[in-house]
Amino acid sequence: MKLGVHIGYWGLGLTSQDQIEIVREAERVGYDSVWAAEAYGSDAATVLGWVAGQTERIKIGSAIFQMPARSPAMTAMTAATLDQLSGGRMLLGIGSSGPQVAEGWHGQRFARQIQRTREYVAVVRKALNRERLEFHGETLELPLPDGPGKALKLTIAPVQDRIPIYLAAIGPKNTQLAGEIADGWIPIFFSPEHVGDLRPLLEEGAARTGRSLDAFDIAPTVNVSITDDIGAARDLMRPFIALYVGGMGSRQQNFYNALAVRYGFEEAATKVQDLYLEGRRDEAAAAVPDELVDTVTLCGPADRVRERLAVYRDAGVGTLGITPVAGTKEARIEQLRLVAELAG
């Protein structure tokens, strides 16, 4: 099991110098990859280009590029450029984001996401293979049939023969799709105890195209706080979980709330959401049960975290993305070092 470090959204609490020192230390102690995120603040591509220029070996990954923010051709252009700038280190994570961001920020309809994602990935692959972009799908048409457009091909070549494409997915159908069309899967709030329910979804998707999952990379993101005070560690995790389970989306459509329900926390998920949407965020965080925290994070004493790392490994995780939850650069670096030591 390889380790990745997630630096998340840029500009939230740390300076640029702090962030690059975290990344360089991760590279020094053997982390395989570094991942940047985007929502409606910093974009991931700029950050990855900046990181690529100040590192040597660590792979750079988007977790994720938002589909509604870029045409598939633009995503291919960006991935190819970053692959060249980094000397062949690009990992391309993409995802559909959510309806509030897609429609409220990007002005793109959040509809037909399964078919849209399938066609989007197909066009990205076609572009990265430097084929002429002629594509006739249900959600994408290239070139447009009623104008002067012509089928073009990418003018630069990636360094890698095949840039790995990771799909961010939460729901069952999207997870199946990851198994069908992607090289890896980026789940958030991944529970290794529930891999028996999740792995068959990936296999079902792979079976549609007769492909093997032998080289498929399960690459969850997990928040980490290693300390002897497990109560304090859990409390660090609760606000983040409450934000997603309670506030990411509406009462009618919240993918993270639905995931908590599938994990068996229906009553708690409802309570957290009710409190969060009422503006009682501290109470919502307090309502996140210990069992849910323990299911989707790595927190507590070192021996306990070591045991949990083995559980992730046994669940078939290929890349474990670590988000150190701490207030300072020094504390985050210490968390990264501890995980590297505990993972062996």
PDB file of all heavy atoms in Angstrom, residues 193-231:
ATOM      1  N   GLU A 193     -14.132  -1.581   6.466  1.00  0.00           N
ATOM      2  CA  GLU A 193     -15.020  -2.655   6.948  1.00  0.00           C
ATOM      3  C   GLU A 193     -16.154  -2.944   5.968  1.00  0.00           C
ATOM      4  O   GLU A 193     -16.756  -4.017   6.007  1.00  0.00           O
ATOM      5  CB  GLU A 193     -15.616  -2.287   8.306  1.00  0.00           C
ATOM      6  CG  GLU A 193     -14.652  -2.431   9.477  1.00  0.00           C
ATOM      7  CD  GLU A 193     -13.704  -1.248   9.621  1.00  0.00           C
ATOM      8  OE1 GLU A 193     -13.901  -0.241   8.907  1.00  0.00           O
ATOM      9  OE2 GLU A 193     -12.757  -1.328  10.424  1.00  0.00           O
ATOM     10  N   HIS A 194     -16.453  -1.985   5.096  1.00  0.00           N
ATOM     11  CA  HIS A 194     -17.547  -2.156   4.144  1.00  0.00           C
ATOM     12  C   HIS A 194     -17.047  -2.487   2.743  1.00  0.00           C
ATOM     13  O   HIS A 194     -17.825  -2.433   1.785  1.00  0.00           O
ATOM     14  CB  HIS A 194     -18.413  -0.890   4.102  1.00  0.00           C
ATOM     15  CG  HIS A 194     -19.221  -0.677   5.351  1.00  0.00           C
ATOM     16  ND1 HIS A 194     -18.689  -0.116   6.492  1.00  0.00           N
ATOM     17  CD2 HIS A 194     -20.506  -0.968   5.645  1.00  0.00           C
ATOM     18  CE1 HIS A 194     -19.612  -0.056   7.430  1.00  0.00           C
ATOM     19  NE2 HIS A 194     -20.718  -0.570   6.944  1.00  0.00           N
ATOM     20  N   VAL A 195     -15.775  -2.855   2.613  1.00  0.00           N
ATOM     21  CA  VAL A 195     -15.238  -3.146   1.288  1.00  0.00           C
ATOM     22  C   VAL A 195     -15.940  -4.350   0.675  1.00  0.00           C
ATOM     23  O   VAL A 195     -16.033  -4.480  -0.550  1.00  0.00           O
ATOM     24  CB  VAL A 195     -13.708  -3.354   1.349  1.00  0.00           C
ATOM     25  CG1 VAL A 195     -13.361  -4.706   1.962  1.00  0.00           C
ATOM     26  CG2 VAL A 195     -13.087  -3.186  -0.034  1.00  0.00           C
ATOM     27  N   GLY A 196     -16.497  -5.224   1.517  1.00  0.00           N
ATOM     28  CA  GLY A 196     -17.243  -6.373   1.004  1.00  0.00           C
ATOM     29  C   GLY A 196     -18.480  -5.962   0.239  1.00  0.00           C
ATOM     30  O   GLY A 196     -18.958  -6.698  -0.632  1.00  0.00           O
ATOM     31  N   ASP A 197     -19.016  -4.771   0.548  1.00  0.00           N
ATOM     32  CA  ASP A 197     -20.155  -4.239  -0.202  1.00  0.00           C
ATOM     33  C   ASP A 197     -19.696  -3.424  -1.405  1.00  0.00           C
ATOM     34  O   ASP A 197     -20.425  -3.313  -2.399  1.00  0.00           O
ATOM     35  CB  ASP A 197     -21.015  -3.346   0.704  1.00  0.00           C
ATOM     36  CG  ASP A 197     -21.567  -4.090   1.906  1.00  0.00           C
ATOM     37  OD1 ASP A 197     -21.941  -5.262   1.749  1.00  0.00           O
ATOM     38  OD2 ASP A 197     -21.614  -3.486   2.997  1.00  0.00           O
ATOM     39  N   LEU A 198     -18.492  -2.831  -1.305  1.00  0.00           N
ATOM     40  CA  LEU A 198     -18.022  -1.913  -2.333  1.00  0.00           C
ATOM     41  C   LEU A 198     -17.264  -2.616  -3.457  1.00  0.00           C
ATOM     42  O   LEU A 198     -17.424  -2.276  -4.635  1.00  0.00           O
ATOM     43  CB  LEU A 198     -17.121  -0.855  -1.691  1.00  0.00           C
ATOM     44  CG  LEU A 198     -17.788   0.004  -0.609  1.00  0.00           C
ATOM     45  CD1 LEU A 198     -16.758   0.835   0.131  1.00  0.00           C
ATOM     46  CD2 LEU A 198     -18.863   0.898  -1.224  1.00  0.00           C
ATOM     47  N   ARG A 199     -16.443  -3.592  -3.110  1.00  0.00           N
ATOM     48  CA  ARG A 199     -15.646  -4.297  -4.121  1.00  0.00           C
ATOM     49  C   ARG A 199     -16.526  -4.935  -5.201  1.00  0.00           C
ATOM     50  O   ARG A 199     -16.201  -4.837  -6.400  1.00  0.00           O
ATOM     51  CB  ARG A 199     -14.775  -5.348  -3.439  1.00  0.00           C
ATOM     52  CG  ARG A 199     -13.915  -6.162  -4.386  1.00  0.00           C
ATOM     53  CD  ARG A 199     -12.624  -5.478  -4.710  1.00  0.00           C
ATOM     54  NE  ARG A 199     -11.875  -6.196  -5.733  1.00  0.00           N
ATOM     55  CZ  ARG A 199     -10.673  -5.843  -6.135  1.00  0.00           C
ATOM     56  NH1 ARG A 199     -10.083  -4.804  -5.595  1.00  0.00           N
ATOM     57  NH2 ARG A 199     -10.056  -6.518  -7.074  1.00  0.00           N
ATOM     58  N   PRO A 200     -17.645  -5.578  -4.842  1.00  0.00           N
ATOM     59  CA  PRO A 200     -18.493  -6.156  -5.893  1.00  0.00           C
ATOM     60  C   PRO A 200     -19.022  -5.125  -6.887  1.00  0.00           C
ATOM     61  O   PRO A 200     -19.251  -5.453  -8.055  1.00  0.00           O
ATOM     62  CB  PRO A 200     -19.641  -6.804  -5.104  1.00  0.00           C
ATOM     63  CG  PRO A 200     -19.048  -7.113  -3.767  1.00  0.00           C
ATOM     64  CD  PRO A 200     -18.109  -5.979  -3.504  1.00  0.00           C
ATOM     65  N   LEU A 201     -19.214  -3.880  -6.429  1.00  0.00           N
ATOM     66  CA  LEU A 201     -19.665  -2.841  -7.350  1.00  0.00           C
ATOM     67  C   LEU A 201     -18.599  -2.556  -8.404  1.00  0.00           C
ATOM     68  O   LEU A 201     -18.902  -2.405  -9.592  1.00  0.00           O
ATOM     69  CB  LEU A 201     -19.996  -1.561  -6.575  1.00  0.00           C
ATOM     70  CG  LEU A 201     -21.155  -1.643  -5.585  1.00  0.00           C
ATOM     71  CD1 LEU A 201     -21.246  -0.360  -4.762  1.00  0.00           C
ATOM     72  CD2 LEU A 201     -22.474  -1.899  -6.316  1.00  0.00           C
ATOM     73  N   LEU A 202     -17.345  -2.469  -7.971  1.00  0.00           N
ATOM     74  CA  LEU A 202     -16.246  -2.266  -8.912  1.00  0.00           C
ATOM     75  C   LEU A 202     -16.141  -3.442  -9.881  1.00  0.00           C
ATOM     76  O   LEU A 202     -15.946  -3.259 -11.092  1.00  0.00           O
ATOM     77  CB  LEU A 202     -14.925  -2.098  -8.156  1.00  0.00           C
ATOM     78  CG  LEU A 202     -14.807  -0.888  -7.224  1.00  0.00           C
ATOM     79  CD1 LEU A 202     -13.532  -0.993  -6.387  1.00  0.00           C
ATOM     80  CD2 LEU A 202     -14.807   0.419  -8.019  1.00  0.00           C
ATOM     81  N   GLU A 203     -16.295  -4.650  -9.348  1.00  0.00           N
ATOM     82  CA  GLU A 203     -16.186  -5.848 -10.183  1.00  0.00           C
ATOM     83  C   GLU A 203     -17.331  -5.919 -11.188  1.00  0.00           C
ATOM     84  O   GLU A 203     -17.143  -6.347 -12.333  1.00  0.00           O
ATOM     85  CB  GLU A 203     -16.158  -7.095  -9.299  1.00  0.00           C
ATOM     86  CG  GLU A 203     -14.888  -7.196  -8.458  1.00  0.00           C
ATOM     87  CD  GLU A 203     -14.944  -8.296  -7.422  1.00  0.00           C
ATOM     88  OE1 GLU A 203     -16.072  -8.789  -7.162  1.00  0.00           O
ATOM     89  OE2 GLU A 203     -13.892  -8.650  -6.868  1.00  0.00           O
ATOM     90  N   GLU A 204     -18.510  -5.494 -10.747  1.00  0.00           N
ATOM     91  CA  GLU A 204     -19.664  -5.483 -11.647  1.00  0.00           C
ATOM     92  C   GLU A 204     -19.414  -4.541 -12.817  1.00  0.00           C
ATOM     93  O   GLU A 204     -19.726  -4.851 -13.971  1.00  0.00           O
ATOM     94  CB  GLU A 204     -20.899  -5.038 -10.857  1.00  0.00           C
ATOM     95  CG  GLU A 204     -22.219  -5.491 -11.446  1.00  0.00           C
ATOM     96  CD  GLU A 204     -23.385  -5.175 -10.516  1.00  0.00           C
ATOM     97  OE1 GLU A 204     -23.260  -5.437  -9.302  1.00  0.00           O
ATOM     98  OE2 GLU A 204     -24.395  -4.663 -11.017  1.00  0.00           O
ATOM     99  N   GLY A 205     -18.848  -3.362 -12.503  1.00  0.00           N
ATOM    100  CA  GLY A 205     -18.533  -2.424 -13.565  1.00  0.00           C
ATOM    101  C   GLY A 205     -17.466  -2.967 -14.504  1.00  0.00           C
ATOM    102  O   GLY A 205     -17.589  -2.853 -15.730  1.00  0.00           O
ATOM    103  N   ALA A 206     -16.421  -3.565 -13.940  1.00  0.00           N
ATOM    104  CA  ALA A 206     -15.342  -4.111 -14.770  1.00  0.00           C
ATOM    105  C   ALA A 206     -15.849  -5.216 -15.677  1.00  0.00           C
ATOM    106  O   ALA A 206     -15.405  -5.345 -16.832  1.00  0.00           O
ATOM    107  CB  ALA A 206     -14.216  -4.625 -13.876  1.00  0.00           C
ATOM    108  N   ALA A 207     -16.808  -6.003 -15.183  1.00  0.00           N
ATOM    109  CA  ALA A 207     -17.333  -7.118 -15.972  1.00  0.00           C
ATOM    110  C   ALA A 207     -18.057  -6.643 -17.225  1.00  0.00           C
ATOM    111  O   ALA A 207     -18.132  -7.376 -18.223  1.00  0.00           O
ATOM    112  CB  ALA A 207     -18.275  -7.961 -15.114  1.00  0.00           C
ATOM    113  N   ARG A 208     -18.577  -5.428 -17.200  1.00  0.00           N
ATOM    114  CA  ARG A 208     -19.297  -4.906 -18.372  1.00  0.00           C
ATOM    115  C   ARG A 208     -18.394  -4.804 -19.588  1.00  0.00           C
ATOM    116  O   ARG A 208     -18.857  -4.924 -20.732  1.00  0.00           O
ATOM    117  CB  ARG A 208     -19.869  -3.527 -18.066  1.00  0.00           C
ATOM    118  CG  ARG A 208     -20.955  -3.506 -17.006  1.00  0.00           C
ATOM    119  CD  ARG A 208     -21.320  -2.067 -16.678  1.00  0.00           C
ATOM    120  NE  ARG A 208     -22.266  -1.977 -15.571  1.00  0.00           N
ATOM    121  CZ  ARG A 208     -22.510  -0.861 -14.887  1.00  0.00           C
ATOM    122  NH1 ARG A 208     -21.876   0.258 -15.214  1.00  0.00           N
ATOM    123  NH2 ARG A 208     -23.372  -0.859 -13.903  1.00  0.00           N
ATOM    124  N   THR A 209     -17.125  -4.544 -19.349  1.00  0.00           N
ATOM    125  CA  THR A 209     -16.187  -4.397 -20.463  1.00  0.00           C
ATOM    126  C   THR A 209     -15.154  -5.513 -20.490  1.00  0.00           C
ATOM    127  O   THR A 209     -14.186  -5.459 -21.255  1.00  0.00           O
ATOM    128  CB  THR A 209     -15.476  -3.031 -20.386  1.00  0.00           C
ATOM    129  OG1 THR A 209     -14.942  -2.846 -19.069  1.00  0.00           O
ATOM    130  CG2 THR A 209     -16.445  -1.908 -20.687  1.00  0.00           C
ATOM    131  N   GLY A 210     -15.328  -6.516 -19.638  1.00  0.00           N
ATOM    132  CA  GLY A 210     -14.433  -7.664 -19.635  1.00  0.00           C
ATOM    133  C   GLY A 210     -13.019  -7.347 -19.196  1.00  0.00           C
ATOM    134  O   GLY A 210     -12.071  -8.024 -19.596  1.00  0.00           O
ATOM    135  N   ARG A 211     -12.875  -6.315 -18.367  1.00  0.00           N
ATOM    136  CA  ARG A 211     -11.534  -5.926 -17.936  1.00  0.00           C
ATOM    137  C   ARG A 211     -11.218  -6.504 -16.559  1.00  0.00           C
ATOM    138  O   ARG A 211     -12.105  -6.880 -15.798  1.00  0.00           O
ATOM    139  CB  ARG A 211     -11.388  -4.405 -17.910  1.00  0.00           C
ATOM    140  CG  ARG A 211     -12.312  -3.706 -16.951  1.00  0.00           C
ATOM    141  CD  ARG A 211     -12.321  -2.193 -17.186  1.00  0.00           C
ATOM    142  NE  ARG A 211     -11.048  -1.585 -16.930  1.00  0.00           N
ATOM    143  CZ  ARG A 211     -10.845  -0.616 -16.016  1.00  0.00           C
ATOM    144  NH1 ARG A 211     -11.861  -0.170 -15.278  1.00  0.00           N
ATOM    145  NH2 ARG A 211      -9.669  -0.093 -15.835  1.00  0.00           N
ATOM    146  N   SER A 212      -9.937  -6.561 -16.223  1.00  0.00           N
ATOM    147  CA  SER A 212      -9.478  -7.034 -14.927  1.00  0.00           C
ATOM    148  C   SER A 212      -9.233  -5.853 -13.995  1.00  0.00           C
ATOM    149  O   SER A 212      -8.857  -4.763 -14.445  1.00  0.00           O
ATOM    150  CB  SER A 212      -8.187  -7.837 -15.093  1.00  0.00           C
ATOM    151  OG  SER A 212      -7.565  -8.075 -13.840  1.00  0.00           O
ATOM    152  N   LEU A 213      -9.417  -6.085 -12.700  1.00  0.00           N
ATOM    153  CA  LEU A 213      -9.128  -5.055 -11.701  1.00  0.00           C
ATOM    154  C   LEU A 213      -7.767  -5.286 -11.026  1.00  0.00           C
ATOM    155  O   LEU A 213      -7.480  -4.671 -10.012  1.00  0.00           O
ATOM    156  CB  LEU A 213     -10.227  -5.027 -10.642  1.00  0.00           C
ATOM    157  CG  LEU A 213     -11.607  -4.524 -11.093  1.00  0.00           C
ATOM    158  CD1 LEU A 213     -12.601  -4.580  -9.943  1.00  0.00           C
ATOM    159  CD2 LEU A 213     -11.523  -3.106 -11.646  1.00  0.00           C
ATOM    160  N   ASP A 214      -6.958  -6.147 -11.614  1.00  0.00           N
ATOM    161  CA  ASP A 214      -5.670  -6.467 -10.988  1.00  0.00           C
ATOM    162  C   ASP A 214      -4.804  -5.232 -10.781  1.00  0.00           C
ATOM    163  O   ASP A 214      -4.123  -5.112  -9.760  1.00  0.00           O
ATOM    164  CB  ASP A 214      -4.909  -7.484 -11.841  1.00  0.00           C
ATOM    165  CG  ASP A 214      -5.541  -8.872 -11.787  1.00  0.00           C
ATOM    166  OD1 ASP A 214      -6.414  -9.082 -10.917  1.00  0.00           O
ATOM    167  OD2 ASP A 214      -5.177  -9.721 -12.622  1.00  0.00           O
ATOM    168  N   ALA A 215      -4.810  -4.312 -11.741  1.00  0.00           N
ATOM    169  CA  ALA A 215      -3.981  -3.106 -11.622  1.00  0.00           C
ATOM    170  C   ALA A 215      -4.796  -1.894 -11.191  1.00  0.00           C
ATOM    171  O   ALA A 215      -4.274  -0.771 -11.181  1.00  0.00           O
ATOM    172  CB  ALA A 215      -3.294  -2.829 -12.959  1.00  0.00           C
ATOM    173  N   PHE A 216      -6.048  -2.100 -10.826  1.00  0.00           N
ATOM    174  CA  PHE A 216      -6.934  -0.999 -10.441  1.00  0.00           C
ATOM    175  C   PHE A 216      -6.539  -0.481  -9.055  1.00  0.00           C
ATOM    176  O   PHE A 216      -6.300  -1.257  -8.132  1.00  0.00           O
ATOM    177  CB  PHE A 216      -8.377  -1.508 -10.416  1.00  0.00           C
ATOM    178  CG  PHE A 216      -9.415  -0.441 -10.223  1.00  0.00           C
ATOM    179  CD1 PHE A 216      -9.902   0.275 -11.295  1.00  0.00           C
ATOM    180  CD2 PHE A 216      -9.918  -0.157  -8.954  1.00  0.00           C
ATOM    181  CE1 PHE A 216     -10.877   1.256 -11.132  1.00  0.00           C
ATOM    182  CE2 PHE A 216     -10.882   0.815  -8.771  1.00  0.00           C
ATOM    183  CZ  PHE A 216     -11.365   1.528  -9.862  1.00  0.00           C
ATOM    184  N   ASP A 217      -6.483   0.842  -8.906  1.00  0.00           N
ATOM    185  CA  ASP A 217      -5.999   1.461  -7.674  1.00  0.00           C
ATOM    186  C   ASP A 217      -7.165   2.025  -6.860  1.00  0.00           C
ATOM    187  O   ASP A 217      -7.805   2.996  -7.272  1.00  0.00           O
ATOM    188  CB  ASP A 217      -5.011   2.580  -8.010  1.00  0.00           C
ATOM    189  CG  ASP A 217      -4.273   3.116  -6.779  1.00  0.00           C
ATOM    190  OD1 ASP A 217      -4.323   2.451  -5.717  1.00  0.00           O
ATOM    191  OD2 ASP A 217      -3.648   4.187  -6.893  1.00  0.00           O
ATOM    192  N   ILE A 218      -7.451   1.406  -5.730  1.00  0.00           N
ATOM    193  CA  ILE A 218      -8.412   1.963  -4.769  1.00  0.00           C
ATOM    194  C   ILE A 218      -7.639   2.973  -3.925  1.00  0.00           C
ATOM    195  O   ILE A 218      -6.698   2.619  -3.217  1.00  0.00           O
ATOM    196  CB  ILE A 218      -9.036   0.873  -3.896  1.00  0.00           C
ATOM    197  CG1 ILE A 218      -9.810  -0.124  -4.766  1.00  0.00           C
ATOM    198  CG2 ILE A 218      -9.954   1.473  -2.841  1.00  0.00           C
ATOM    199  CD1 ILE A 218     -10.391  -1.300  -3.996  1.00  0.00           C
ATOM    200  N   ALA A 219      -8.032   4.249  -4.014  1.00  0.00           N
ATOM    201  CA  ALA A 219      -7.218   5.327  -3.439  1.00  0.00           C
ATOM    202  C   ALA A 219      -8.061   6.266  -2.580  1.00  0.00           C
ATOM    203  O   ALA A 219      -8.299   7.423  -2.950  1.00  0.00           O
ATOM    204  CB  ALA A 219      -6.534   6.101  -4.562  1.00  0.00           C
ATOM    205  N   PRO A 220      -8.500   5.799  -1.419  1.00  0.00           N
ATOM    206  CA  PRO A 220      -9.317   6.664  -0.561  1.00  0.00           C
ATOM    207  C   PRO A 220      -8.508   7.771   0.102  1.00  0.00           C
ATOM    208  O   PRO A 220      -7.291   7.670   0.252  1.00  0.00           O
ATOM    209  CB  PRO A 220      -9.850   5.689   0.501  1.00  0.00           C
ATOM    210  CG  PRO A 220      -8.810   4.622   0.581  1.00  0.00           C
ATOM    211  CD  PRO A 220      -8.284   4.474  -0.823  1.00  0.00           C
ATOM    212  N   THR A 221      -9.229   8.815   0.472  1.00  0.00           N
ATOM    213  CA  THR A 221      -8.663   9.914   1.250  1.00  0.00           C
ATOM    214  C   THR A 221      -9.107   9.753   2.695  1.00  0.00           C
ATOM    215  O   THR A 221     -10.289   9.512   2.954  1.00  0.00           O
ATOM    216  CB  THR A 221      -9.175  11.265   0.727  1.00  0.00           C
ATOM    217  OG1 THR A 221      -8.891  11.367  -0.653  1.00  0.00           O
ATOM    218  CG2 THR A 221      -8.526  12.411   1.472  1.00  0.00           C
ATOM    219  N   VAL A 222      -8.175   9.887   3.643  1.00  0.00           N
ATOM    220  CA  VAL A 222      -8.539   9.707   5.047  1.00  0.00           C
ATOM    221  C   VAL A 222      -7.879  10.782   5.910  1.00  0.00           C
ATOM    222  O   VAL A 222      -6.697  11.087   5.737  1.00  0.00           O
ATOM    223  CB  VAL A 222      -8.155   8.293   5.542  1.00  0.00           C
ATOM    224  CG1 VAL A 222      -6.667   8.031   5.404  1.00  0.00           C
ATOM    225  CG2 VAL A 222      -8.609   8.059   6.979  1.00  0.00           C
ATOM    226  N   ASN A 223      -8.660  11.380   6.785  1.00  0.00           N
ATOM    227  CA  ASN A 223      -8.127  12.356   7.744  1.00  0.00           C
ATOM    228  C   ASN A 223      -7.414  11.633   8.873  1.00  0.00           C
ATOM    229  O   ASN A 223      -7.892  10.593   9.353  1.00  0.00           O
ATOM    230  CB  ASN A 223      -9.255  13.212   8.320  1.00  0.00           C
ATOM    231  CG  ASN A 223      -9.753  14.252   7.338  1.00  0.00           C
ATOM    232  OD1 ASN A 223      -9.291  14.332   6.214  1.00  0.00           O
ATOM    233  ND2 ASN A 223     -10.713  15.057   7.765  1.00  0.00           N
ATOM    234  N   VAL A 224      -6.291  12.205   9.327  1.00  0.00           N
ATOM    235  CA  VAL A 224      -5.435  11.529  10.305  1.00  0.00           C
ATOM    236  C   VAL A 224      -5.097  12.462  11.464  1.00  0.00           C
ATOM    237  O   VAL A 224      -4.744  13.628  11.260  1.00  0.00           O
ATOM    238  CB  VAL A 224      -4.124  11.051   9.644  1.00  0.00           C
ATOM    239  CG1 VAL A 224      -3.189  10.434  10.682  1.00  0.00           C
ATOM    240  CG2 VAL A 224      -4.407  10.051   8.537  1.00  0.00           C
ATOM    241  N   SER A 225      -5.193  11.912  12.684  1.00  0.00           N
ATOM    242  CA  SER A 225      -4.683  12.594  13.878  1.00  0.00           C
ATOM    243  C   SER A 225      -4.183  11.526  14.842  1.00  0.00           C
ATOM    244  O   SER A 225      -4.977  10.783  15.437  1.00  0.00           O
ATOM    245  CB  SER A 225      -5.776  13.431  14.547  1.00  0.00           C
ATOM    246  OG  SER A 225      -5.273  14.014  15.747  1.00  0.00           O
ATOM    247  N   ILE A 226      -2.867  11.431  14.969  1.00  0.00           N
ATOM    248  CA  ILE A 226      -2.253  10.424  15.837  1.00  0.00           C
ATOM    249  C   ILE A 226      -1.870  11.081  17.155  1.00  0.00           C
ATOM    250  O   ILE A 226      -1.023  11.971  17.202  1.00  0.00           O
ATOM    251  CB  ILE A 226      -1.016   9.795  15.160  1.00  0.00           C
ATOM    252  CG1 ILE A 226      -1.408   9.186  13.816  1.00  0.00           C
ATOM    253  CG2 ILE A 226      -0.396   8.723  16.063  1.00  0.00           C
ATOM    254  CD1 ILE A 226      -0.223   8.723  12.977  1.00  0.00           C
ATOM    255  N   THR A 227      -2.495  10.641  18.236  1.00  0.00           N
ATOM    256  CA  THR A 227      -2.267  11.201  19.572  1.00  0.00           C
ATOM    257  C   THR A 227      -2.773  10.205  20.602  1.00  0.00           C
ATOM    258  O   THR A 227      -3.680   9.411  20.325  1.00  0.00           O
ATOM    259  CB  THR A 227      -2.998  12.546  19.740  1.00  0.00           C
ATOM    260  OG1 THR A 227      -2.903  12.968  21.101  1.00  0.00           O
ATOM    261  CG2 THR A 227      -4.466  12.445  19.374  1.00  0.00           C
ATOM    262  N   ASP A 228      -2.200  10.246  21.780  1.00  0.00           N
ATOM    263  CA  ASP A 228      -2.662   9.353  22.843  1.00  0.00           C
ATOM    264  C   ASP A 228      -4.050   9.724  23.350  1.00  0.00           C
ATOM    265  O   ASP A 228      -4.732   8.906  23.954  1.00  0.00           O
ATOM    266  CB  ASP A 228      -1.666   9.368  24.012  1.00  0.00           C
ATOM    267  CG  ASP A 228      -0.352   8.672  23.659  1.00  0.00           C
ATOM    268  OD1 ASP A 228      -0.367   7.826  22.741  1.00  0.00           O
ATOM    269  OD2 ASP A 228       0.671   8.986  24.298  1.00  0.00           O
ATOM    270  N   ASP A 229      -4.475  10.951  23.099  1.00  0.00           N
ATOM    271  CA  ASP A 229      -5.792  11.409  23.543  1.00  0.00           C
ATOM    272  C   ASP A 229      -6.809  11.152  22.430  1.00  0.00           C
ATOM    273  O   ASP A 229      -7.054  12.002  21.574  1.00  0.00           O
ATOM    274  CB  ASP A 229      -5.734  12.906  23.879  1.00  0.00           C
ATOM    275  CG  ASP A 229      -7.015  13.399  24.544  1.00  0.00           C
ATOM    276  OD1 ASP A 229      -8.055  12.710  24.445  1.00  0.00           O
ATOM    277  OD2 ASP A 229      -6.979  14.488  25.162  1.00  0.00           O
ATOM    278  N   ILE A 230      -7.409   9.966  22.453  1.00  0.00           N
ATOM    279  CA  ILE A 230      -8.314   9.597  21.368  1.00  0.00           C
ATOM    280  C   ILE A 230      -9.569  10.465  21.347  1.00  0.00           C
ATOM    281  O   ILE A 230     -10.125  10.750  20.285  1.00  0.00           O
ATOM    282  CB  ILE A 230      -8.687   8.093  21.451  1.00  0.00           C
ATOM    283  CG1 ILE A 230      -9.418   7.662  20.166  1.00  0.00           C
ATOM    284  CG2 ILE A 230      -9.517   7.791  22.684  1.00  0.00           C
ATOM    285  CD1 ILE A 230      -9.625   6.176  20.058  1.00  0.00           C
ATOM    286  N   GLY A 231      -9.998  10.934  22.506  1.00  0.00           N
ATOM    287  CA  GLY A 231     -11.164  11.810  22.565  1.00  0.00           C
ATOM    288  C   GLY A 231     -10.910  13.111  21.834  1.00  0.00           C
ATOM    289  O   GLY A 231     -11.738  13.592  21.060  1.00  0.00           O
TER     290      GLY A 231
END
